[in-house]
Amino acid sequence: AASMAAVLSYLRELNIVTMMLRILLAVLCGGLIGLERERKNRPAGFRSYMLTALGATLTVLLSLQLDQMLHGPWREVAESIGATQDVSRFGAEAAKGIGFLGAGTIISARLQVKGLTTAAGLWASACLGLAIGAGFYACAFICIAYMAACMYLLPPLEQRLTRRAHHINISLEIERMEHLGAIVTHLHDENVRIFDFAVNRNGTGTLASFLCQFSAILPERRDHPELLAELSALEGVILIEEI
């Protein structure tokens, strides 16, 4: 127990060995979370998560290094000019600044909101990197366990719950507006209530199509892929997907 405490005490120090270990641990943890996104071909994958965790770790290491320098070699100069260092400042900026990466995974050209899980994962990966950089190992390992469970174990349960939900959001691309009647009629025959209907023209000239997006409430627990397959078989439907 004493030797374990000594090892942990050494790992909490700031030197070249512990800095290398922290950066390596951040890269490995970020990669583990990113691997699941990579397998699902999501916007941000293996390398994105690795770099996010590494960058966050680096900001804390830099902050800790500056704090040590201001209280050590640079102390006299710092006191003479009144320079102070808030250790948490860099970390707070890193967690805040990750927003632009998250936005990049969410925005797409088809007016759809996708990639929220990836964006949330990137933000959590950055925070994980901050904890590792600060040498808060116990918290980091607990977080990586929970994050891995969220990414790997919960999707099948989530899929089962959403696959037969009463509420569905559909994005539909059709050749001409005339084809919309058959789709609405089919849904009406199934006693499906449609609301939040929006239509946008896709492209220009003779190749133009129409992108329809709407929400619907199903009368009973219908299998979503089954309903989408029925609609995709109708005339004029180019592309249909649940959003």
Side-chain angles (χ1 to χ4, degrees), residues 130-166:
L130 295 175
I132 293 168
F136 199 8
Y137 300 109
C139 176
F141 285 125
I142 292 166
C143 286
I144 193 72
Y146 281 124
M147 284 169 72
C150 284
M151 293 291 200
Y152 291 92
L153 303 179
L154 291 182
L157 175 65
E158 189 182 25
Q159 206 171 23
R160 281 179 63 188
L161 291 171
T162 56
R163 191 183 171 101
R164 298 181 67 82
H166 278 296

Side-chain angles (χ1 to χ4, degrees), residues 10-235:
Y10 173 73
L11 289 175
R12 289 194 181 102
E13 290 175 18
L14 200 63
N15 56 54
I16 190 71
V17 176
T18 57
M19 281 193 282
M20 284 173 68
L21 281 171
R22 289 182 197 188
I23 290 168
L24 178 63
L25 185 60
V27 167
L28 291 174
C29 290
L32 175 66
I33 301 301
L35 197 61
E36 187 270 344
R37 298 280 90 189
E38 190 78 44
R39 279 172 49 233
K40 292 189 175 178
N41 200 26
R42 293 295 191 262
F46 193 53
R47 288 174 303 157
S48 302
Y49 276 81
M50 274 185 166
L51 292 169
T52 304
L54 186 151
T57 302
L58 186 58
T59 60
V60 178
L61 289 174
L62 175 61
S63 198
L64 291 170
Q65 179 69 18
L66 279 174
D67 190 60
Q68 277 195 6
M69 294 299 280
L70 286 173
H71 288 90
W74 301 346
R75 188 172 183 171
E76 285 183 23
V77 178
E79 284 176 357
S80 68
I81 61 170
T84 56
Q85 162 63 16
D86 178 5
V87 179
S88 66
R89 191 164 58 85
F90 277 109
E93 291 301 317
K96 193 165 66 177
I98 206 71
F100 83 95
L101 267 183
T105 68
I106 293 166
I107 296 165
S108 70
R110 299 185 62 81
L111 306 174
Q112 298 173 16
V113 176
K114 281 190 171 183
L116 283 170
T117 304
T118 303
L122 280 168
W123 183 79
S125 182
C127 294
L128 179 69
L130 295 175
I132 293 168
F136 199 8
Y137 300 109
C139 176
F141 285 125
I142 292 166
C143 286
I144 193 72
Y146 281 124
M147 284 169 72
C150 284
M151 293 291 200
Y152 291 92
L153 303 179
L154 291 182
L157 175 65
E158 189 182 25
Q159 206 171 23
R160 281 179 63 188
L161 291 171
T162 56
R163 191 183 171 101
R164 298 181 67 82
H166 278 296
H167 194 279
I168 186 170
N169 297 312
I170 295 173
S171 176
L172 185 73
E173 192 177 348
I174 52 174
E175 288 174 12
R176 293 192 303 277
M177 282 302 289
E178 298 89 83
H179 295 129
L180 194 57
I183 294 157
V184 172
T185 302
H186 181 84
L187 290 170
H188 188 264
D189 292 343
E190 296 268 334
N191 294 321
V192 174
R193 280 198 298 127
I194 301 169
F195 59 98
D196 286 346
F197 204 96
V199 182
N200 292 284
R201 195 175 174 85
N202 230 5
T204 54
T206 53
L207 295 172
S209 60
F210 295 89
L211 183 66
C212 311
Q213 291 185 323
F214 59 90
S215 298
I217 294 176
L218 311 179
E220 68 267 337
R221 294 192 181 279
R222 281 287 310 273
D223 190 68
H224 290 192
E226 194 180 283
L227 179 65
L228 294 177
E230 288 173 15
L231 293 175
S232 68
L234 298 173
E235 189 187 354

